């Protein structure tokens, strides 16, 4: 029964142009040699209904541009210098003259795709039938309605049946309204309203705007469009909130380093963004080095780059503290100017070594792709950044609460003079704290290399927002840094589609300033005698 229905449908697929060349064809293959696309299209329909092995081979050769026609109407499947008679399958000598490929245009491609989709409706694997139904949903060609009706009558798997019903409803609504079809069109409108999405909205909007449509159908379509628009707006806000979470995760990684250096040492490090930039370049260097030396480890290059970036940036941070910062303690203006000059030096050195243009850090295959959750498109690389930031924050809290270095850093943050009197070597703590902050910035660079361009100016895009996170959350408080990073990240991304990127930045800045005026020490201020005095 399925084969009979398949043959009937295929005979109708290209009816519009196929009848004109029927008298000129000696067999089902002859139209393929014709210069008229109508004849080629009709021949495709006939060969698909034929179902023989040679007919299938000819259609596959046409899809792959391996089907050639001779001067006398002969057809050949050519593979290199070897030819095969398309009608009989026998090997033969390729003609030296007159052999030319069968031309393919968009109409022929559409006919071939339709033939393939109709065949997939009868496939044994449910996944193939779902793929065919999705093809029909996107094309909504009236010629497919008989096949969809037959497939629906015999389909037992709910997931496949759901897709077939979507395709059937879309195909019904895509046709001009006809007398007696009002009930079917109303049912299709209701079904597509439940499906939702941009494709369904486009079809329903066309029905709602069609003055020739029945009033009941138009009203139902208008209501469905409003309902879909509301759902799309909700999903859009949630999508932007997810982007905000991933951006906030990068800010969290960058701002934790600032929170440590500013909280422990009182240093405003304007070169912190360049530590992020160096971490991103270290990621690229590790990736390139592994590709050239141990290609088998290339899928793990990003994981290897994490400790490498932390060590390189952390070591550079210790060197900067010992050679520059320690001479400027207690002089915040000079420290700010010195670190700003250092940031310019690091940018120029990077331009000299790697050039001023962007470089591409490849995303590993296991971080490519996305997960569909309702109307959300959750990309794996952004999800990984979110998880990575949480792990780094958890590890940092363990270091600060469970190690001697963390105890000493917290003591110096709360009261530097008392900590020194208790025997804590504050210069050593300062160097290690600055190195830890720079290392965390390097980890932020690894993360940002997966979602942003890597260039010498990379750090400038994040340094201002990172300082706002530290001040807004509370200097030296990691919980405050977490809350501020997520609030600023999500707030900015949610506002951007409504008021624009620049206006969103201004609005966030104004709100932060207004909050700081009432709460100068941020959301989660660090408490201690040295701080409060």
């Amino acid at each position: 029964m399925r084969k009979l229905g398949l043959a009937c449908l295929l005979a109708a697929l290209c009816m519009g142009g196929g009848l004109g060349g029927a008298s000129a064809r000696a067999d089902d293959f002859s139209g393929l040699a014709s210069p008229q696309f109508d004849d080629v299209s009709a021949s495709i329909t006939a060969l698909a209904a034929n179902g023989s092995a040679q007919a299938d081979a000819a259609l596959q050769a046409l899809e792959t541009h391996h089907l050639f026609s001779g001067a006398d109407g002969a057809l050949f499947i050519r593979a290199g210098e070897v030819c095969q008679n398309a009608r009989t399958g026998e090997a033969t000598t390729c003609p030296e003259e007159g052999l030319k490929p069968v031309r393919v245009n968009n109409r022929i491609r559409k006919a071939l795709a339709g033939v393939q989709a109709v065949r997939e409706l009868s496939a044994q694997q449910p996944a193939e039938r779902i793929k065919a139904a999705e093809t029909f949903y996107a094309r909504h060609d009236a010629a497919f309605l008989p096949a969809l009706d037959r497939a629906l009558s015999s389909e037992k798997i709910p997931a496949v049946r759901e897709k077939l019903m979507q395709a059937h409803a879309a195909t019904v609504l895509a046709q001009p309204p006809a007398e007696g079809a009002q009930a079917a069109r109303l049912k299709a409108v209701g079904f597509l309203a439940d499906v939702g999405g941009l494709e369904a909205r486009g079809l329903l909007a066309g029905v709602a705007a069609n003055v020739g449509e029945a009033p009941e159908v138009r009203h139902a379509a208008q209501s469905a469009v409003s309902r879909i628009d509301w759902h799309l707006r909700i999903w859009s806000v949630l999508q932007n909130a997810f982007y905000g979470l991933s951006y906030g995760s990068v800010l969290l990684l960058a701002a934790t380093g600032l929170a440590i250096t500013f909280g422990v040492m009182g240093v405003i490090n304007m070169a912190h963004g360049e530590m992020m930039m160096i971490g991103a370049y270290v990621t690229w260097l590790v990736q390139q080095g592994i590709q050239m030396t141990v290609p088998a480890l290339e899928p793990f290059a990003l994981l290897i780059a994490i400790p490498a970036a932390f060590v390189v940036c952390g070591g550079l941070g210790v060197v900067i503290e010992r050679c520059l910062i320690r001479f400027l303690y207690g002089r915040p203006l000079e420290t700010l100017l010195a670190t700003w000059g250092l940031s310019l030096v690091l940018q120029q050195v990077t331009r000299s070594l790697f050039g001023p243009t962007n470089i591409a850090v490849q995303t590993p295959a296991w971080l490519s792709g996305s997960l569909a959750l309702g109307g959300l498109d959750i990309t794996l690389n952004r999800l990984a950044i979110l998880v990575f930031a949480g792990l780094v924050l958890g590890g940092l809290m363990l270091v600060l609460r469970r190690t001697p270095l963390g105890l000493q850093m917290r003591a110096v943050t709360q009261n530097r003079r008392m900590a020194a009197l208790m025997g804590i070597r504050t210069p050593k703590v300062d160097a290690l704290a600055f190195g830890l902050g720079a290392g965390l910035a390097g980890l932020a660079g690894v993360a940002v290399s997966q979602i942003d361009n890597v260039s010498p100016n990379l750090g400038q895009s994040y340094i201002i927002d990172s300082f706002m996170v530290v001040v807004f959350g509370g200097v030296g408080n990691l919980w405050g840094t977490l809350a501020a990073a997520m609030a600023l990240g999500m707030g900015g991304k949610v506002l951007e589609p409504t008021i624009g990127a620049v206006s969103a930045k201004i609005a966030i800045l104004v709100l932060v300033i207004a909050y700081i005026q009432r709460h100068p020490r941020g959301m989660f201020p660090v408490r201690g005698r040295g701080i409060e005095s």
Side-chain angles (χ1 to χ4, degrees), residues 161-315:
R161 186 173 180 82
E162 181 78 10
K163 292 293 184 181
L164 290 171
M165 291 176 68
Q166 292 178 17
H168 189 276
T171 306
V172 167
L173 289 182
Q175 311 315 313
E179 187 176 353
Q182 180 176 338
R185 295 177 74 80
L186 276 173
K187 182 179 179 182
V189 167
F191 191 83
L192 286 186
D194 293 333
V195 171
L198 292 175
E199 183 76 21
R201 188 201 179 281
L203 286 169
L204 292 169
V207 173
N210 189 353
V211 295
E213 196 71 65
E216 295 86 353
V217 178
R218 289 187 65 189
H219 178 71
Q222 290 169 355
S223 300
V225 169
S226 299
R227 177 180 166 190
I228 291 175
D229 284 343
W230 170 252
H231 288 160
L232 289 176
R233 282 194 292 269
I234 295 298
W235 285 118
S236 178
V237 170
L238 293 176
Q239 185 72 62
N240 289 322
F242 172 70
Y243 290 151
L245 284 175
S246 64
Y247 180 68
S249 300
V250 175
L251 291 181
L252 174 64
L253 291 171
T256 48
L258 277 178
I260 289 173
T261 55
F262 193 38
V264 174
M265 306 161 60
V267 171
I268 302 175
N269 181 17
M270 295 299 294
H272 194 76
E274 278 54 54
M275 296 296 105
M276 286 182 61
M277 177 263 293
I278 291 172
Y281 274 97
V282 168
T283 304
W284 180 78
L285 288 173
V286 169
Q287 194 173 76
Q288 296 300 310
I290 288 178
Q291 286 178 355
M292 290 186 294
T293 57
V294 193
L297 294 178
E298 186 175 352
F300 309 102
L302 188 65
L303 298 178
I304 297 173
I306 291 174
F310 182 82
V311 170
V312 170
C313 294

Side-chain angles (χ1 to χ4, degrees), residues 26 43 112 121 130 181 190 205 244 252 258 275 297 300 394 396 402 408 433 466 504 512 533:
S43 192
L112 290 170
L121 275 183
I130 289 177
L252 174 64
L258 277 178
M275 296 296 105
L297 294 178
F300 309 102
L396 182 60
R402 303 296 181 184
Q408 293 173 7
S466 299
V512 170
S533 60

Side-chain angles (χ1 to χ4, degrees), residues 319-341:
V319 171
I320 291 172
E321 196 279 335
R322 289 287 84 191
C323 298
L324 177 65
I325 303 298
R326 73 187 183 100
F327 300 108
L328 301 173
Y329 287 135
R331 298 153 62 186
L333 181 59
E334 288 86 342
T335 303
L336 186 149
L337 292 175
T339 54
W340 178 63

